[in-house]
Amino acid sequence: MENNRNTTLHIPAVALRGLTILPDTIIHFDLSRRKSIEAVEQSMMESQRIFLITQKDSDAEDPNIDQLYHIGTLAVVKQVTKLPNQIVRVLVEGEKRAILNEIDEEITSYVCATVETLEETAEVTDHAIVTMDGSEDVEIVAQIRELQELLESYIRFHPKIAKSLHQQFENAGNLAKLIDNLAANLPLNYTVKQNVLELVDISQRYDYFAGVLYNEIEIAKIKTNLAENIKAKVEKNQKEYILREQLGYIREELGDDHSFSDAEQFQEDLKKLKASKEVKEKIRKEISRFKSIGGNSSESSMQRGFLETLLELPWDKTSSDKMDITRAEQILNEDHYGLDKVKERILDFLAVRSLTSDGESPILCLVGPPGTGKTSIAHSVANALNKKYVRVSLGGVRDEAEIRGHRKTYVGAMPGRIVNGLRSAGVKNPLFLLDEIDKMSSDYKGDTASALLEVLDSEQNSRFRDHYVEIPVDLSQVLFIATANSTETIPRPLLDRMELIEINSYTANEKFHIAKQFLVKKEMKKNGLADKNVTISDNALKSIIQYYTREAGVRELERKIDEICRKSARRILQEKVDGIKVTSGNLEKYLGIKKYLLDKANTEDQIGIVRGLAWTSVGGETLQIEVNVMPGKGDLELTGQLGDVMKESAIAGLSFIRSISEQYGIPGSFYQENDIHIHIPEGAVPKDGPSAGITMAIALLSAITETPVKASVAMTGEITLRGRVLPIGGLKEKILAAKTAGIQTLLIPVENEKDMEEIPQEIKSGINFIFIENMRDAIPYAFQDGMIKTGKSGKTTKKERK
């Protein structure tokens, strides 16, 4: 047989992904790429002929000539159907093989290829196979018969395709077409079909395809053997199951009842269970269902685990609470210093429970900075009330099933954390600590916070439904205490169901008492030291608090005391030293150089520099705001990594000052001829919030009028466009920061005056508090002698105090 390249064509082409089309086959395929659809449309407008070529990489979106096989099929488009979602279905009939020579780069809307057809010159009749000179080719006859035998072996393993393949052999006269048709109709990988397409030589094509058929037959044989082996194993398991059932019957007839079956054990446990009739009836039905399930099935193990969970839950089992208020108060005071609001609320609950046995359990949420004792106070409450303690960490939980459990039909299903907590407590009235409730999140699996709505609603949680248990569980007697660092990330409906108790930052005096009464003893015991071995002076503790820690709680303070104890223990062992005394003088020997320096107030009054106050997660801080005025075009520059709210506060403050410029002799053209730059130091630290509004406004007025601001004054408050000063939060922490910095006068919003009653006197002492209603009230206290320079004349105006 001989092959010649003859006709060269310049026609549209379509790159196929995961599909190879052979000559003399009719097939349809779907197109979604714009270039491919354009190529089909161009083909329909011309001769309806199109070149179909397969991609080497199916993931390539716009393949070049190197990413395509070099031989494809020239085909005729028979039908084009448009489908939804911009998909086109094309019906084609393969004609002949063709070689891809090049792709026209100038046409970009579709692929236009230059191809050269491959003509096969051998001719074979339907019944007599002859060559070009008319002689019969015995080898081709043998090859066709060999293919027929291989195909019959293949059909024995794939009977569903027997009919369509038999039709191919009814007209089996042309070996080349026969191989192409068989390759197109058999369920082979497209790479195999591409290899058949590329083998132009009939003899090579036959050798390759016969080898493919032989491999497929061998694979089918192995699969059949594997299936038979598996079937034999299943029949063996069925036989063992029947024999075991018969053995159980024989033992029952013989009265051999020394060992209870699982179902009988469940029945015995059910009799001992303290639960309502409704619960017991439900469990009884589940036990009956368990009996009817075969012991070797996967459902049996799932049902067994379900029954074990139901029987271990404390349906009606409770523990007796200690009602001694004096004892409870003593335990709470021994374990924690301060936290008076929490202690008072627990003692109130005890008093109500003593008077009414059915008092409703509170649902508390302790909100405060890290390290302030929120988690540990919950454990102390459990000890004071003699309740079982269960802690559930909700930080990072984002799956609703963590709260409600999984449906028991799923493999590996289990109850939610609430039911598991009750199961581990063994009673229905434990203390449940929901730690880090503000750190929950949600995703496509559900909203965890929404699942907690039913748990923390005293009107609904008496019949809480866990997806796994399916029986209503009573949570009304559980004492829930949640902890959070902030309420901002807690959804409003969930927040509404809890009683909020704010735990503020500790003062330096409170930290000192906590360290002296609790932390020193705890760390010395932890490190194996006795009182005679190490003594830490009061001044040393105060220095640790002042120069080595900066936090709202006492965790870092505890770590520093632990470090002192560790190094003391090492000295006792290595240097044989007894009676180590740690003072403020030798503190650096144990803790190194001072880590923090006090952020003291400025010593001199300066222009455009004002001291503000800020609240952070580790307590309050002072904030120095700097303003510069320079010639320019009226731009306002804000730096120091300020948030959007703080930027808006600065703009509002500047707008108010512009509105009162005439009162202070500031020319109207000043804001068009000068640029203003506001900066807050520590630029690497993000800052946001509206409470620095009054501070930035005073700093702006100082810089514009070139009037110094008193260094001993600090202020806080949100400013409006009309100059009103609005209330702020975190007042205790801010006052504490001002006291530490040595501020003498503190300007705060008049609406925060009511909050001063809750601030301890030790924090307020030494500071002169001025309550302001608008910015004009702040001017007499912020500037030297209450005077502000006006304009360029050097005259001054004095604003009297109200």
Side-chain angles (χ1 to χ4, degrees), residues 332 342-343 345-346 349 361-367 373-383 385 387-394 430-437 455-456 478-484 498-499 501 503:
L332 293 174
V342 184
K343 294 175 182 177
R345 184 62 184 88
I346 297 303
F349 161 70
S361 295
I363 299 173
L364 309 178
C365 182
L366 312 181
V367 182
K374 300 183 296 296
T375 302
S376 58
I377 190 69
H379 199 281
S380 296
V381 170
N383 291 336
L385 301 181
K387 282 182 173 290
K388 294 285 186 179
Y389 174 75
V390 179
R391 177 179 173 271
V392 176
S393 179
L394 297 177
L431 184 146
F432 241 102
L433 175 66
L434 303 177
D435 211 6
E436 308 290 357
I437 198 171
V455 175
L456 299 181
V478 177
L479 173 56
F480 286 104
I481 297 181
T483 67
M498 299 183 289
E499 181 180 341
I501 298 179
I503 297 179

Side-chain angles (χ1 to χ4, degrees), residues 697-713:
I698 291 293
L700 284 166
L701 186 59
S702 169
I704 293 170
T705 61
E706 299 182 358
T707 306
V709 178
K710 293 180 182 178
S712 60
V713 174

Side-chain angles (χ1 to χ4, degrees), residues 415-465:
R417 296 194 180 196
I418 303 299
V419 170
N420 261 335
L422 284 179
R423 184 180 178 182
S424 62
V427 292
K428 64 182 292 187
N429 61 336
L431 184 146
F432 241 102
L433 175 66
L434 303 177
D435 211 6
E436 308 290 357
I437 198 171
D438 59 327
K439 306 296 189 304
M440 293 185 301
S441 59
S442 59
D443 63 4
Y444 66 94
K445 296 179 182 177
D447 187 358
T448 313
S450 298
L452 276 175
L453 293 177
E454 183 183 0
V455 175
L456 299 181
D457 191 336
S458 57
E459 300 296 328
Q460 302 179 43
N461 63 8
S462 59
R463 294 186 66 82
F464 170 71
R465 278 191 176 272

Side-chain angles (χ1 to χ4, degrees), residues 46 84 183 191 248 306 313 323 404 490 519 532 589 601 616 628 630 653 663 670 691 712-713 739 767 796:
E46 297 176 358
T191 56
F306 178 57
L313 283 175
M323 297 300 176
R404 289 189 175 275
I490 303 176
L519 300 183
K532 63 179 182 179
K589 182 178 179 181
T616 70
N628 267 356
M630 63 215 81
Q663 302 177 23
F670 176 87
S691 62
S712 60
V713 174
K739 184 178 179 68
I767 299 178
T796 60

